[in-house]
Amino acid sequence: MKIGIIGSGHIGGTLTRRLRTLGHDVTVANSRGPQSLTDLATETGATAGTVEEAVQDAELVVIAIPVKAVPDLPAALFDGKLVVDSDNYYPQRDGDIPELLDRSLSSSRWTADHLKGARVVKVFNNIQAAHLMDAGKPAGTAGRIALPVAGDDADAKRIVMELVDELGFDPVDGGTLDESWRQQPDTPVYGTDRDADGVRQGLAAARP
């Protein structure tokens, strides 16, 4: 696939490396500009680009940026795009966002509201970057780490679940974007590397 990645930190950089290893055509962008991505591009064979270049021709776009930066994205550019939201809201970093502080919205619903027209799917937010890099295993391996995948668009979710499997993890349906709070920080599945049954149990056990 042709994949755009917005953000080159722990998760964005890891996905750039993993997806290039799998043969995907990756363009990576960040807030500092393509010149800051020369080393990552040279290492991985990804293209360093602007946000516009990463998004415009992509079949799938990953956003891996601080939640507070989402409103700065050019929303119209994402219209109709399949967008993977790997972000988490951390008040100490992102500041006071009332709808997220009081949990009246999941962070992915809040993101989708800013990126009107995008087909947003939540995944990769509950796994440590080092484990995303190194802990993938072939399908059927006992104890294979599972990742919850939440979204409203069934076709978009199917595509993302196939990508999760290709990366070496069991995809577990996490419900809708409004239900994606069940995989946010301070829930049973956050950072715990459960297998598929464990993720299902953890999602069910989560409390607002």
Side-chain angles (χ1 to χ4, degrees), residues 24 29 38-39 57 60 74 84 90 95 103 115 119 124 129 136 138 152-153 156 161 163 177 182 200:
H24 295 286
T38 302
D39 289 349
D57 296 323
L60 180 151
V84 170
Y90 300 114
R103 292 180 173 255
L115 303 179
R119 303 155 67 206
F124 303 128
D152 299 338
D153 184 307
M161 291 176 91
L163 189 64
L177 282 187
R182 294 179 181 276
R200 293 186 190 97

Side-chain angles (χ1 to χ4, degrees), residues 87-108:
D87 297 345
N88 287 306
Y89 172 57
Y90 300 114
Q92 64 274 24
R93 178 195 65 189
D94 298 310
D96 292 350
I97 301 174
E99 311 95 295
L100 302 184
L101 273 176
D102 68 13
R103 292 180 173 255
S104 58
L105 288 181
S106 69
S107 65
S108 285

